[in-house]
Amino acid sequence: MVTRLLIITAFSVMLALAARADLAFTPKESEYDMEGMKLKQLAFSDGNGKTITYQQPPGWKYSGNANSLILQPPNTGDAEGTITRVTLPQPGTFDEETMKKLTEEALASVPKPSSNVTLVSQANSPVRIGGKETFLVIVSYTFNKENYERSTMFLNRGNDQVRFQFVSRAAEFNELQRAFLGSQFTWQNL
C-alpha cells in the first residue's frame, strides 16, 4: 500500500512539473498603437496565456528560441545582448549572500582563457521591471588581446530568474550598454 501511495505521489509531482508553464523567448513581432502611431514590439508567451512584450533598442537585430533572446546592435561585430531564464529551486531574493554568489558567478562567466578579470561595479535595482528588483554586475576582462566589458542583470520572477547579459569591446561598452539597459524599461507583464 505504501509503495502504491509513493508511486501515485511521484506521478502527481511529475505531472505538476510537466504542466508548469515557462516563459519562452521565441519572439513574435506585434504592433501597438501609441496616440495614433503604430509601433512594433516583440511578444513572448509565458505559457499561461499571458503575453509579455518588449521593445529592443532601435536598429538592433534579434533572434530567439524558447531558451534565449539574442540582440545585436548595428555596425558592431563583437557586441551582443542575451536574455535567458534560469529555474530556481525556490523563489529568489537579493540578500547579501545571494548578491555575493551572483557576483562570483558573473566574474567566473568570462570566456576562458581571459586575463585581467575585474569587478567594475555592482548595483542593486538600477532598473525596476514590473516593480521587480534587479541586481546588476559589470566586469571587465582581456580576451585575445582585446579589452571587453560584460554586464549581467538579474531579475527574480517567482521560481524563475531572468538574466540580461550584454558584452562588447570596452571602447563601445558604455554607449551600447546604456541602450541595452534602457530598453529593459519597455518590458510589460514580465
Side-chain angles (χ1 to χ4, degrees), residues 18 25 40 50 69 86 88 92 94 101 120 128 135 152 164 168 187:
F25 284 111
K40 293 186 186 279
K50 185 170 69 171
L69 176 67
V86 174
L88 302 173
F94 293 122
K101 179 182 168 242
V120 174
R128 282 182 145 333
F135 178 61
T152 306
F164 307 84
S168 75
W187 286 98

Side-chain angles (χ1 to χ4, degrees), residues 2-85:
V2 172
T3 304
R4 183 180 172 136
L5 184 59
L6 287 173
I7 290 171
I8 292 171
T9 302
F11 184 70
S12 297
V13 168
M14 287 189 301
L15 278 177
L17 289 174
R20 179 179 168 198
D22 291 326
L23 168 63
F25 284 111
T26 306
K28 294 179 183 134
E29 280 195 15
S30 70
E31 285 187 348
Y32 69 99
D33 185 60
M34 185 171 158
E35 298 182 15
M37 292 178 56
K38 296 281 187 198
L39 300 173
K40 293 186 186 279
Q41 62 187 0
L42 302 178
F44 310 92
S45 171
D46 76 344
N48 289 320
K50 185 170 69 171
T51 300
I52 296 169
T53 60
Y54 167 71
Q55 276 186 285
Q56 80 268 26
W60 288 36
K61 294 180 184 174
Y62 68 88
S63 63
N65 57 45
N67 300 316
S68 63
L69 176 67
I70 309 295
L71 300 161
Q72 296 178 314
N75 306 319
T76 58
D78 278 355
E80 183 175 87
T82 307
I83 302 171
T84 57
R85 180 189 55 82

Side-chain angles (χ1 to χ4, degrees), residues 132-186:
K132 296 175 183 75
E133 291 184 15
T134 58
F135 178 61
L136 175 68
V137 179
I138 298 177
V139 299
S140 65
Y141 59 94
T142 303
F143 182 72
N144 286 339
K145 300 180 184 177
E146 291 279 349
N147 294 324
Y148 288 89
E149 288 194 39
R150 173 183 286 182
S151 67
T152 306
M153 186 172 71
F154 305 89
L155 173 135
N156 295 322
R157 65 185 294 269
N159 280 34
D160 286 338
Q161 184 175 80
V162 180
R163 297 179 176 195
F164 307 84
Q165 188 175 80
F166 182 76
V167 63
S168 75
R169 288 191 175 111
E172 304 167 320
F173 182 80
N174 288 337
E175 178 183 344
L176 294 172
Q177 165 69 0
R178 193 170 19 261
F180 181 70
L181 195 59
S183 74
Q184 306 317 320
F185 287 105
T186 69

